[in-house]
């Protein structure tokens, strides 16, 4: 058995991990084989998740019992009108906001059940979740490489290792030629690809993307979706993409509609975009 | 881990440099204020050291001759010379006045000395010491006088024959040394107008201007015109003698007091410049508060401009420690830039101060520590704000 322990693997999580080992095709030269969880455990499993903001008369029930499940390597769309609770759901899944009740299991590991379960939300975000936002939100005082290396550096990896990994990711996302550039020198599409590279840096099993293609034209929007699909396939990453974007909705094989704080599952067109 | 603060400073170096220069000018003023205080202390010490005296004998119940008026009979020094342990004793007279020179007024301290005795300036940077009994002067370079200049003091013209350096009074006025007799005359005698007035009054008084006693009026004039007072007697003790031991019998004399060098230093520094020192102290405290307010305002504003980045950092798992460290380091970086600028400008503008400004390395180190401490404290508000940022704001609505 050959495996490598990544620093992002939490202890109790790691123990469940080596039941089965998977060797993924690897576009990055020199990267080791990637071990991950039991194939059968969904990357994300949400049951009856509720979130109430505030209390009393001004309370807002943003999530009213959400059920959702995403398999490793799957890219699902999350679609709903404004104010329907999309961002709230992502915040809860990403351990940014604490839900009010319900359950969240990540890779078979219950992290929330009426309260965070033996986890540090900050470490969970750092090690197990990648975030992509509508705006790239890159750190303007770091160059492209260091922006991508940042999650690894925050996790305690050496500068050399982190930058090496960042360069590989930049190459995979076709922005290697911009590695030394300042953020302000990049086009919107390049910035978004760098942001995706940053989300992938720690090889998180989950990526949460909130309207990642909103500022992009259709060409670039499709390019981003293509990249996300490729990453999902290659790393078995589970990806949830919140979107309004008519251009990319047909690409999802599975879609969750969210309306008034509840989710409704639907099969998507799953159009092949290469 | 890379230094986030360092990267941010490099990225917006223009903003930091600009702010750092502003802060630096403020720090420069602070360092100069401390330098002015140190200069005053040093001037006092130089004043004592350059006099060459070990003991100052002054009027009883006074802190003379620099801190309070003191006057002594000018034959006292003879009795002092007879005491055991006294090597030399000489009269000195001090008086501060305005001297006109080349159309400008110079405030100077006139020192009457006996050539070759304690009180005489020991090092000249040009010219020669006083040799003639009258109307010669040795001036400090700060007066602006040059060798050969003629200066008018009251009734007489004096020729500058020598120049000294760093000979200033306790209040920083440059010194002009003249023969003791001349100084006594300047100090205790009247000008021509007053003199003519008095003579006329004496001559008009039949009791004093008696036809039968022809020398009486003349004798009166001469006794009026001859001052018998000086301000202090400077004593040099003989080798092997302790100044305190020599001072003890003198203190038992009536009407005089004797101070040793440490006591004189105490008087000059603790008493004479105490008010100025407090003045400077209050100023330093205000400057520290102003600097702290400015630094916290700047750091706070810079942090507000980075709230989104901070939210993103938190979202991707940065520790509070990392974020607080970044802001603290930026504040310290600003302090370091400010200090470097401040030290430079303080050094550059020090020579332009009319009084001696002594920039002590120890003060610079203390100043640096104070700047860093102030910057650290000033960053607290910004750190508090940054730590309250909700990572959820990075995701938005
Ligand atoms: N921090 C908050 N405090 C109170 N109410 C909130 C907060 N965030 C979101 N909401 C409310 O929750 C509901 C869902 O918001 P959100 O999840 O942002 O929707 P979406 O992303 O689908 O537009 C909205 O009614 C919104 O006003
Ligand atoms: Mg939203």
């Amino acid at each position: 058995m050959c495996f490598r322990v990544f620093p992002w693997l939490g202890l109790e999580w790691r123990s469940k991990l080596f039941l089965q080992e998977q060797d993924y095709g690897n576009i990055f030269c020199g990267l080791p084989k990637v071990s991950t969880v039991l194939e059968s455990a969904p990357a994300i499993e949400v049951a009856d998740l509720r979130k109430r903001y505030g209390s009393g008369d001004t309370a807002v029930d943003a999530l009213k019992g959400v059920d959702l499940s995403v398999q490793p390597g799957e890219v699902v769309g999350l679609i709903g009108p404004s104010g329907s609770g999309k961002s709230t759901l992502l915040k809860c899944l990403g351990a940014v906001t604490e839900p009010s009740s319900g359950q969240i299991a990540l890779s078979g590991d219950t992290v929330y059940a009426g309260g965070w379960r033996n986890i540090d939300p900050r470490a969970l975000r750092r090690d197990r979740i990648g975030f992509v936002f509508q705006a790239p939100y890159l750190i303007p005082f770091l160059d492209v490489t260091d922006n991508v290396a940042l999650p690894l550096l925050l996790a305690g990896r050496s500068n050399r290792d982190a930058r090496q990994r960042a360069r590989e990711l930049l190459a995979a996302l076709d922005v290697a030629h911009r590695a030394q550039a300042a953020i302000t020198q990049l086009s919107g599409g390049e910035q978004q690809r760098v942001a995706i590279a940053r989300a992938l840096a720690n090889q998180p099993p989950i990526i949460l993307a909130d309207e990642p293609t909103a500022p992009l034209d259709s060409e670039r929007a499709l390019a981003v979706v293509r990249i996300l699909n490729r990453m999902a396939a290659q790393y078995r990453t589970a990806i949830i993409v919140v979107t309004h974007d008519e251009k990319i909705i047909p690409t999802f094989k599975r879609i969750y509609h969210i309306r008034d704080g509840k989710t409704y599952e639907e099969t998507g067109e799953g159009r092949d975009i290469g | 881990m890379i230094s986030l603060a360092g990267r941010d400073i490099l990225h917006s170096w223009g903003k930091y440099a600009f702010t750092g220069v502003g802060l630096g000018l403020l720090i420069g003023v602070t360092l100069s204020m401390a330098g002015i205080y140190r200069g005053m202390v040093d001037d006092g010490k130089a004043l004592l050291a350059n006099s060459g005296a070990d003991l100052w004998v002054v009027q009883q119940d006074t802190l003379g001759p620099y801190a309070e008026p003191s006057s002594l009979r000018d034959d006292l020094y003879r009795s002092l010379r007879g005491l055991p342990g006294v090597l030399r004793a000489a009269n000195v007279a001090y008086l501060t006045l305005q001297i006109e020179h080349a159309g400008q007024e110079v405030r100077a301290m006139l020192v009457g000395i006996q050539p070759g005795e304690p009180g005489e300036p020991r090092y000249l940077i040009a010219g020669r010491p006083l040799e003639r009994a009258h109307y010669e002067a040795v001036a400090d370079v700060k007066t602006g006088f040059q060798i050969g200049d003629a200066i008018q003091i009251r009734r007489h013209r004096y020729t500058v024959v020598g120049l000294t350096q760093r000979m200033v009074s306790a209040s920083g006025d440059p010194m002009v040394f003249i023969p003791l007799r001349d100084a006594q005359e300047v100090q205790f005698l009247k000008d021509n107008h007053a003199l003519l007035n008095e003579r006329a009054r004496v001559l008009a008084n039949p009791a004093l201007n008696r036809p039968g006693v022809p020398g009486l009026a003349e004798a009166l004039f001469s006794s009026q015109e001859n001052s018998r007072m000086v301000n202090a007697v400077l004593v040099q003790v003989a080798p092997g003698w302790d100044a305190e031991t020599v001072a003890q019998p003198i203190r038992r004399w009536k009407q005089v007091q004797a101070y040793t060098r440490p006591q004189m230093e105490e008087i000059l520094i603790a008493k004479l410049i105490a008010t100025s020192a407090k003045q400077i102290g209050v100023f330093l405290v205000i400057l520290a508060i102003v600097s702290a307010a400015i630094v916290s305002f700047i750091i706070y504003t810079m942090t507000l401009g980075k709230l989104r980045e901070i939210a993103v950092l938190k979202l991707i798992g940065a520790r509070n420690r990392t974020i607080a460290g970044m802001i603290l380091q930026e504040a310290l970086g600003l302090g370091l830039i400010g200090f470097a600028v401040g030290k430079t400008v303080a050094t550059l503008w020090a020579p332009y101060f009319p009084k001696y400004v002594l920039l002590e390395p120890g003060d610079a180190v203390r100043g640096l520590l104070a700047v860093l401490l102030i910057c650290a404290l000033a960053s607290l508000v910004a750190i508090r704000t940054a730590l309250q940022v909700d990572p959820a704001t990075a995701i938005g609505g």
Side-chain angles (χ1 to χ4, degrees):
Chain A
M1 208 162 98
C2 162
F3 55 81
R4 174 165 163 128
V5 178
F6 282 99
W8 43 267
L9 302 181
L11 254 182
E12 75 275 33
W13 196 54
R14 201 180 302 166
S15 60
K16 294 185 183 174
L17 211 98
F18 304 115
L19 299 175
Q20 189 181 336
E21 192 182 65
Q22 200 81 43
D23 183 5
Y24 304 118
N26 197 334
I27 54 160
F28 306 143
C29 45
L31 269 191
K33 291 175 178 181
V34 177
S35 315
T36 187
V37 288
L38 202 63
E39 181 85 26
S40 57
I44 305 169
E45 176 98 84
V46 172
D48 195 28
L49 195 70
R50 292 165 190 273
K51 173 63 186 175
R52 166 175 287 190
Y53 287 111
S55 58
D57 289 348
T58 57
V60 177
D61 286 308
L63 301 179
K64 298 176 182 165
V66 166
D67 297 300
L68 171 150
S69 169
V70 185
Q71 294 301 320
E74 197 184 13
V75 182
V76 303
L78 182 63
I79 301 168
S82 182
S84 56
K86 303 183 296 291
S87 296
T88 301
L89 179 55
L90 286 200
K91 286 175 196 171
C92 290
L93 294 178
V96 180
T97 298
E98 184 165 356
S100 304
S101 69
Q103 274 156 35
I104 304 173
L106 302 181
S107 310
D109 184 14
T110 302
V111 296
Y112 181 86
W116 297 118
R117 283 294 185 85
N118 301 323
I119 60 136
D120 170 9
R122 184 188 60 77
L124 182 108
R125 293 198 296 270
R126 186 189 67 200
D127 300 333
R128 292 163 68 171
I129 315 273
F131 292 96
V132 182
F133 318 108
Q134 173 172 348
Y137 291 165
L138 297 168
I139 308 293
F141 51 82
L142 299 179
D143 69 10
V144 166
T145 306
D146 283 344
N147 260 284
V148 177
L150 192 56
L152 293 158
L153 296 168
L154 291 174
R157 297 273 284 272
S158 75
N159 290 1
R160 219 170 133 253
D161 275 11
R163 290 197 179 124
Q164 174 63 28
R165 165 96 178 125
R167 277 190 290 271
E168 288 163 2
L169 282 166
L170 290 170
L173 294 170
D174 299 324
V175 273
H177 59 292
R178 308 299 265 151
Q180 309 300 320
I183 295 307
T184 46
Q185 295 169 344
L186 302 187
S187 70
E190 284 173 329
Q191 288 195 22
Q192 196 58 300
R193 275 183 281 163
V194 173
I196 293 170
R198 176 176 68 187
L200 290 166
N202 272 333
Q203 285 194 322
I206 296 160
I207 287 184
L208 305 174
D210 198 355
E211 309 203 21
T213 61
L216 305 177
D217 60 36
S218 65
E219 181 91 1
R220 298 195 186 286
L222 286 174
V224 164
V225 174
R226 212 174 285 130
I227 287 164
L228 291 175
N229 282 328
R230 213 167 78 205
M231 297 301 124
Q234 277 165 348
Y235 290 103
R236 309 285 295 159
T237 312
I239 303 180
I240 298 181
V241 181
V242 167
T243 192
H244 276 121
D245 193 340
E246 296 296 337
K247 305 181 288 287
I248 68 166
I249 290 172
T251 68
F252 299 112
K253 291 199 184 78
R254 214 149 60 82
I255 291 171
Y256 281 96
H257 282 277
I258 182 164
R259 211 171 300 113
D260 198 21
K262 280 180 180 288
T263 42
Y264 306 89
E265 193 183 335
E266 181 194 275
T267 309
E269 287 178 42
R271 190 180 295 164
D272 186 13
I273 51 168
Chain B
M1 182 66 191
I2 52 177
S3 161
L4 294 174
R7 295 306 183 83
D8 191 24
I9 292 176
L10 286 180
H11 180 255
S12 35
W13 65 268
K15 192 162 62 178
Y16 274 91
F18 200 68
T19 323
V21 167
L23 183 64
L25 293 173
L26 202 60
I27 293 171
V29 171
T30 314
L31 290 175
S32 297
M33 287 313 289
I36 287 168
Y37 169 72
R38 295 291 179 198
M40 279 163 50
V41 170
D42 203 65
D43 276 349
K45 288 187 174 167
L47 171 67
L48 301 181
N50 289 334
S51 68
D54 300 310
L55 278 180
W56 282 256
V57 179
V58 302
Q59 183 183 338
Q60 197 163 40
D61 301 326
T62 73
L63 297 173
Y66 312 115
E68 286 181 353
S70 148
S71 69
L72 295 171
R73 284 156 43 83
D74 69 356
D75 53 2
L76 179 74
Y77 78 102
R78 289 180 212 278
S79 331
L80 289 168
R81 277 185 181 166
L83 283 179
V86 172
L87 181 66
R88 294 195 291 176
N91 285 327
V92 280
Y94 298 100
L95 136 100
T96 302
L97 41 62
Q98 302 281 124
I99 299 174
E100 212 170 292
H101 173 69
Q104 287 195 318
E105 295 237 311
V106 180
R107 186 163 183 80
M109 187 189 215
L110 211 57
V111 187
I113 52 154
Q114 293 172 288
E117 296 288 343
E120 180 181 45
R122 296 202 286 181
Y123 310 104
L124 299 186
I125 56 165
R128 58 164 177 85
L130 301 182
E131 280 167 5
R132 287 162 44 192
H134 287 291
Y135 313 134
E136 283 188 345
V138 168
D140 190 87
V141 281
K142 268 203 161 177
T143 56
F145 301 154
Q146 276 160 9
I147 296 203
D149 280 357
I151 48 181
Q152 182 78 31
I153 303 171
R154 300 276 156 84
R155 277 190 286 174
H156 302 291
R157 290 174 77 78
Y158 293 75
T159 309
V160 177
V161 297
L163 294 177
T164 62
Q165 201 172 24
R166 293 237 38 231
M167 296 292 287
V168 295
S169 76
S171 45
D173 302 321
M175 289 181 167
V176 174
F177 297 86
I178 59 172
L180 180 69
R181 287 254 160 251
D182 294 350
Q184 283 178 295
E185 198 183 301
V186 172
Q187 185 169 20
F188 298 105
L189 294 187
K190 298 123 195 164
D191 62 20
N192 282 339
H193 186 69
L195 214 60
L196 289 173
N197 239 337
E198 290 230 324
R199 285 192 184 200
R201 281 173 62 188
V202 169
L203 293 175
N205 187 337
L208 299 175
N209 188 10
R210 290 187 178 170
V213 193
L216 182 58
E218 285 305 315
L220 253 170
F221 295 151
S222 110
S223 95
Q224 279 178 341
E225 284 161 36
N226 260 328
S227 167
R228 310 229 131 261
M229 305 306 274
V230 292
N231 298 111
V233 179
L234 303 190
V235 174
Q236 231 174 45
V237 303
W241 284 80
D242 172 43
E244 186 58 37
T245 316
V246 179
Q248 270 159 16
I250 302 173
R251 293 199 186 113
R252 286 195 290 272
W253 292 8
K254 279 186 180 148
Q255 277 137 32
V256 300
Q257 167 66 293
Y259 294 115
T260 59
R261 169 94 49 103
Q263 288 171 328
M264 262 337 248
E265 269 185 23
E266 164 76 12
I267 288 170
L268 275 183
I269 290 151
K271 302 209 166 72
L272 191 57
I273 61 178
T275 313
S276 308
K278 277 183 208 142
Q279 181 103 337
I280 289 173
V282 172
F283 200 73
L284 287 180
V285 169
I286 292 172
L287 277 175
I289 293 170
V290 170
S291 310
I294 290 177
V295 176
S296 29
F297 179 73
I298 292 166
I299 293 293
Y300 184 69
T301 316
M302 286 180 171
T303 304
L304 288 189
K306 279 201 290 282
L307 287 187
R308 164 150 302 159
E309 285 77 29
I310 288 167
V312 171
L313 282 170
K314 284 187 160 187
L315 187 75
I316 64 177
R319 290 186 176 84
N320 279 348
R321 187 157 31 102
T322 308
I323 289 160
M326 173 177 85
I327 296 170
L328 177 67
Q329 287 167 34
E330 286 178 9
L332 295 180
L334 198 58
L336 284 177
I337 297 172
F339 182 80
V341 172
K343 181 80 180 87
T344 309
V345 295
T347 309
L348 288 179
W349 67 41
Y352 297 99
F353 279 82
K355 282 206 203 178
Y356 184 51
V357 178
L358 176 59
L359 300 170
E360 284 193 353
D363 285 344
V365 171
R366 275 185 286 275
L368 177 60
L369 293 179
V371 166
L372 295 183
L373 184 71
I374 286 172
C375 287
L377 290 176
S379 66
L380 289 181
V381 183
I383 288 175
R384 215 179 91 98
T385 309
L387 293 188
Q388 283 170 349
V389 169
D390 183 356
T393 55
I395 296 181

